[in-house]
Amino acid sequence: MKKTALQLVLALALIAGLAVRASAVQVQDLVRIKGAEGSKLVGMGLVMGLPGTGDGGKFTPAMQSLARVIEHLAVGGVTASDLRNTKNVAMVAMTVNVPANGVREGDRLDVHVSSIGPAKSLEGGRLFLIPLTGPLPGSDIFAYAEGPISVENINLPNTGVIKNGAQMVQDIRAQYMDDYGQVTFVIDDKIASWPTASNLASHINGVITLDDGPDIARAVDPKNIVVQLPRADQNNPGAFLSQILTSYIDPPLIGTGARVKINEAAGTIVFGANVQISPVVISTQGLTITTVTPPVEPTPEVPVVETSNWVSIDPESRGGTKLADLLNALKQLRVEAKDRIAIVKELDKVGALHAELIIE
């Protein structure tokens, strides 16, 4: 085969492969691995150095905490009443979002800070060094937080962020695999169903087959697929899981269900191409159908115009009418977006819309 012919064949093969992938979906876009969820760290502390916008001496919890800090680091015998004129300190609650893939000792994360007392603003304050634990009582200390606070919303001066303010002192690792070498794929809620779970499990079993062994994947419910890793891959599961997650599955095998989503503020209607409606007659104020019937020899100057304030969808009751047919007709009739949305909502109310209606 000549070089140019070989190049042409390879190019066509590449284009064909790209075309197939363009119409398919990667498994990793449909599922997440159980155990790869985010978590949170929490803490309570004091913001100091505020320009007179703190809690004030009448807020006892803040003053008691400040007295304990002073007693621990400097001199003893200080009481909350001794700090009654203090206005530059505020008691705050802190949360840190831990990424789904976990963090390692030494990593830094943002700290979200919120005042819990009568402080007017946290602007200009600095969080005093404080430990952060897990959200359950008795949890270990996983990080320490400290640093200047940035108020990002002027309308919410009692909240702020400390960029990279938390430093990890312990690892938090995602637990992907259980003690039996199994990994659970959790299907996205939008497509979770028995057919989808079954088809995904069959697809995984087609991607990876074991010699003289059982299927590795099984759907245990509409949302979860359990995958058994071979013993040889359990200590190094990366390549095994990547092969599954980067594989492609045809969209028809993913039963998303019929849904119609309406955003009233934006005036948009989003739906699948196969959403159906029952036979129905629609009449609404401002809806007019205009048909132009030309004479035997039609001319643009002398048309015959017929008008009606109703439109019949599937008048012969044969079924199978698509929502897209109705909306296209309404669009051609220049029906405004708000009126089209109102019609779809009414269809849902009378049970003529065969899809889940979601209104944002």
Side-chain angles (χ1 to χ4, degrees):
M1 182 180 293
K2 294 182 179 180
K3 183 177 180 181
T4 54
L6 178 60
Q7 290 174 335
L8 177 60
V9 171
L10 292 175
L12 291 174
L14 176 61
I15 292 172
L18 291 176
V20 171
R21 288 195 172 189
S23 62
V25 182
Q26 279 193 326
V27 172
Q28 64 183 348
D29 295 328
L30 307 174
V31 303
R32 65 174 174 83
I33 299 178
K34 182 181 178 181
E37 299 93 7
S39 57
K40 291 185 181 295
L41 302 178
V42 297
M44 298 282 290
L46 294 174
V47 172
M48 302 182 180
L50 296 169
T53 59
D55 289 332
K58 293 183 179 180
F59 188 62
T60 304
M63 298 306 106
Q64 288 176 336
S65 297
L66 179 59
R68 285 195 293 270
V69 170
I70 294 174
E71 185 174 3
H72 175 67
L73 297 177
V75 296
V78 177
T79 65
S81 61
D82 296 329
L83 304 170
R84 58 184 177 275
N85 295 323
T86 303
K87 297 181 180 180
N88 62 347
V89 175
M91 179 170 279
V92 295
M94 296 166 288
T95 58
V96 171
N97 296 320
V98 178
N101 290 325
V103 287
R104 301 300 299 272
E105 180 181 351
D107 286 348
R108 288 187 170 273
L109 301 173
D110 292 347
V111 182
H112 298 271
V113 181
S114 301
S115 171
I116 63 172
K120 297 178 181 179
S121 174
L122 299 179
E123 185 69 48
R126 187 180 186 92
L127 179 69
F128 185 75
L129 184 67
I130 198 73
L132 298 173
T133 69
L136 297 178
S139 296
D140 292 341
I141 294 174
F142 289 97
Y144 284 90
E146 189 268 344
I149 295 175
S150 298
V151 174
E152 298 182 332
N153 188 338
I154 60 174
N155 295 319
L156 298 172
N158 288 346
T159 64
V161 177
I162 306 172
K163 296 294 184 181
N164 296 318
Q167 183 171 10
M168 302 300 302
V169 295
Q170 283 197 59
D171 296 343
I172 299 180
R173 294 192 176 187
Q175 299 294 324
Y176 299 108
M177 188 165 43
D178 64 18
D179 295 337
Y180 303 98
Q182 295 179 334
V183 172
T184 299
F185 289 166
V186 183
I187 303 172
D188 190 294
D189 283 332
K190 296 177 182 177
I191 61 170
S193 66
W194 272 115
T196 297
S198 178
N199 289 336
L200 275 171
S202 297
H203 169 78
I204 293 171
N205 289 324
V207 172
I208 298 180
T209 57
L210 303 179
D211 295 335
D212 299 326
D215 291 339
I216 64 167
R218 58 188 176 91
V220 296
D221 59 40
K223 190 175 174 63
N224 295 278
I225 300 170
V226 175
V227 177
Q228 177 66 58
L229 272 68
R231 186 174 298 277
D233 294 296
Q234 291 179 15
N235 291 329
N236 187 18
F240 181 89
L241 294 177
S242 296
Q243 186 176 353
I244 296 174
L245 293 172
T246 58
S247 63
Y248 288 83
I249 184 171
D250 291 334
L253 298 177
I254 307 165
T256 59
R259 291 186 178 90
V260 179
K261 181 180 290 188
I262 290 177
N263 187 322
E264 294 188 281
T268 59
I269 305 174
V270 181
F271 56 94
N274 294 322
V275 173
Q276 294 186 338
I277 59 175
S278 294
V280 64
V281 175
I282 298 171
S283 178
T284 183
Q285 182 178 2
L287 172 61
T288 303
I289 295 179
T290 302
T291 59
V292 177
T293 305
V296 178
E297 295 182 357
T299 62
E301 294 80 11
V302 190
V304 177
V305 179
E306 299 175 357
T307 63
S308 175
N309 68 339
W310 59 273
V311 56
S312 180
I313 302 299
D314 195 14
E316 298 180 7
S317 301
R318 292 177 297 181
T321 301
K322 302 288 195 299
L323 176 62
D325 298 333
L326 171 62
L327 294 181
N328 286 335
L330 296 176
K331 184 177 180 180
Q332 292 175 3
L333 295 170
R334 298 181 181 178
V335 176
E336 295 183 0
K338 62 182 181 64
D339 294 323
R340 296 200 297 267
I341 289 174
I343 290 171
V344 174
K345 292 168 70 174
E346 290 300 321
L347 288 174
D348 181 63
K349 287 182 181 179
V350 300
L353 178 66
H354 304 309
E356 177 188 1
L357 182 61
I358 303 171
I359 299 178
E360 295 182 337

